[in-house]
Structures are given as structure tokens and as C-alpha cells.
Amino acid sequence: MFKTLFENVQRQTPLVHCITNYVTVNDVANVLLAAGGSPIMADAPEEVADITSICTALNLNIGTLNSRAVESMLLAGRQANALSHPVVLDPVGAGASSFRTETTLRLLEDIAFTVIKGNISEMKTIHAGSGTTKGVDADISDAVTEETLEATVAFAKRLADRNDAVVAITGAIDIVADRDKAYIIRNGHPQMAKVSGTGCMLSAVIAAYCGANPEQLLYATAAAVCLMGVSGELAYERMIRNAAGTSSYRSYIIDEISKMSAEKLEGGAKIETR
């Protein structure tokens, strides 16, 4: 199935509207191009509905939040819903401030999301309506481990059911779930946490894969997560060979995504079903 999903992205070149984190916006644009998609970054309230109308999917990321962006996200999200376009939410840092938490909950109330992607602390904040995070990173006490895996899978399915969306919980072990099925993904490398923006990049790639594969949203999300993880592993091997550092590692991740093949993705994916 990954082969079909991968080839659909390459053939269709899905145009993804990103209202995203300005810390990582350039990397988000480049990773979309590397993955076979096409980026457009527009966040002015005066044009976001028009831009969303010409795109395949919408990616909303609250990493650098402000009131103007909130207005734009609501306008773009409503337009994407009206056109039945996939919409991805990355609730970066939900729980770190009341503004972030309240904005996340408002977006979830006003917009029907296709995929909600975040770390476990952000997801617990969405579930409870309040929470804590270590800045934009997951609280260490929330970390998904082998011991907590089954409980977290059950939690992901409940959250997906409540929000009528695919839920992607990212971390050392990734979980992608809808109300009925979950994929556990063990790709990636700890070094990815040393590069700002890998999560933001992933959200955009998920949007591209969902846009190109609207009938396979759960598996398309899992494919995007595997793509990022496999690329992170290959990039780390290259970093070690070249005695390089984290700046090079970021570029290597994008390189590996651009060089990915369906066969390499399927061969490298470490995925199981629950």
C-alpha cells in the first residue's frame, strides 16, 4: 500500500497551504518539495480563503501563535471544510500557555480536522482541556514507553473517536490511530529531537499525503510518519559517516526525503498494527 500512496504524491504534486511556525517555515516549504508536494505559505486574513480554495490540503501549526494567525486559521479552516479538503492541526505547545490551549480548543470546535498531530503532552491537553508541556516538547512524565504503549494506543483511539479525526502521537514510539485501528511506528532517531522543525515538517508532509490519498487517510498519515522516520535514520548514518553536526543533519533529512523511493520506504518502515 505504501507504494501506491507514495506514487500518488509524486504524480499529483499536492499543493499544501501552510499557516505555520515562522521559525521553521523555510524547512517546511523545502520538505514539501522534497516529498513531492508543493508549498504555499499565506497567512493574511484577506487572502487565506482564496489560497485554500486553490490548494489540495491545509496545514495549521500554532508554533508561533498570534491573534492575526488565529483569525487566518479559522478562515482557512472553514473554507477547507466547505471544499472537503484535508486539514491537519499541529497544536505546538498546547498546555504551555492559556492562549495556546484556548486557541487549540477553539480551532477544534470550529474546524473539522482530518488529522491531529502532536506529542503526547499536547494530546493530553486536548483531551483534558488543560495541561502542561516543557515548552513545545512533551513533558518527560508523559513519555510513551513499552510499559505505557497499550494504554496510549487505547487513548489515541478514544481521542480519534471523540474528534472524528486521525490522531498521530509522535515521540520515540509513534502512534497513528483512528477509532478502530492503530499503527505503531518505531522509525526515527533521537538526533531528530536536536533539530528544530522536524515536527513541523512532518505535519506538512502528512497534509500532502492526505491530500493525494483522500480515501486512505489513516494509512496515508502512517506513511508520512514512516517517511520522516526512515529519512531521519538514513540521515543520521550519513551524519556519522561525514562527522557532521546538527545543521548538516537537518539538510540530510530533507535530502533523504527527496531521494526516497517507494521500495526504500516500504523496506525501511518499522510498523505494526494494533
Side-chain angles (χ1 to χ4, degrees):
M1 184 66 77
F2 274 4
K3 184 176 189 295
T4 301
L5 300 175
F6 181 89
E7 290 176 349
N8 284 344
V9 174
Q10 304 303 308
R11 184 180 69 256
Q12 296 178 28
T13 315
L15 181 60
V16 180
H17 180 192
C18 299
I19 303 178
T20 190
N21 185 341
Y22 60 66
V23 173
T24 61
V25 64
N26 183 255
D27 289 336
V28 169
N30 281 316
V31 82
L32 273 170
L33 292 168
S38 180
I40 185 165
M41 277 61 179
D43 62 3
E46 295 82 2
E47 70 166 348
V48 289
D50 288 342
I51 296 298
T52 293
S53 297
I54 65 171
C55 292
T56 309
L58 174 65
N59 174 40
L60 302 181
N61 178 308
I62 70 166
T64 47
L65 196 59
N66 57 66
S67 298
R68 177 174 176 272
V70 174
E71 180 186 359
S72 294
M73 288 179 183
L74 290 167
L75 291 168
R78 291 167 187 153
Q79 182 71 355
N81 283 172
L83 297 169
S84 299
H85 291 176
V87 189
V88 176
L89 173 65
D90 192 341
V92 178
S97 72
S98 58
F99 182 42
R100 286 175 184 270
T101 302
E102 290 164 6
T103 295
T104 298
L105 298 177
R106 183 181 178 191
L107 291 171
L108 287 166
E109 181 178 349
D110 282 24
I111 300 167
F113 285 96
T114 309
V115 181
I116 306 168
K117 181 246 114 186
N119 64 45
I120 184 62
S121 296
E122 292 159 352
M123 293 303 187
K124 286 186 174 181
T125 295
I126 288 172
H127 177 73
S130 63
T132 60
T133 66
K134 180 188 174 185
V136 299
D137 299 319
D139 192 308
I140 192 168
S141 65
D142 289 334
V144 180
T145 64
E146 295 296 340
E147 290 72 24
T148 64
L149 182 57
E150 292 302 325
T152 308
V153 167
F155 166 75
K157 289 180 178 179
R158 290 195 306 272
L159 192 63
D161 184 39
R162 194 176 81 177
N163 291 279
D164 193 24
V166 173
V167 164
I169 301 177
T170 55
I173 303 171
D174 300 314
I175 300 168
V176 177
D178 63 14
R179 61 172 56 91
D180 299 314
K181 183 187 290 186
Y183 293 108
I184 297 169
I185 299 166
R186 302 177 190 274
N187 288 109
H189 192 278
Q191 188 69 25
M192 296 176 79
K194 302 296 184 182
V195 175
S196 175
T198 52
C200 302
M201 292 185 235
L202 174 57
S203 299
V205 175
I206 289 172
Y209 267 71
C210 287
N213 299 280
E215 304 303 318
Q216 294 282 347
L217 297 170
L218 177 65
Y219 209 50
T221 303
V225 173
C226 288
L227 172 66
M228 181 63 70
V230 172
S231 298
E233 293 169 5
L234 295 171
Y236 182 75
E237 293 172 6
R238 183 177 170 191
M239 186 182 81
I240 295 301
R241 285 196 307 270
N242 294 345
T246 54
S247 180
S248 296
Y249 183 54
R250 179 191 63 193
S251 297
Y252 292 166
I253 291 172
I254 297 173
D255 284 350
E256 294 301 333
I257 290 172
S258 73
K259 297 191 300 178
M260 190 62 64
S261 65
E263 293 72 23
K264 193 187 297 185
L265 177 58
E266 289 192 332
K270 302 167 187 172
I271 184 170
E272 59 190 81
T273 308
R274 295 289 173 92

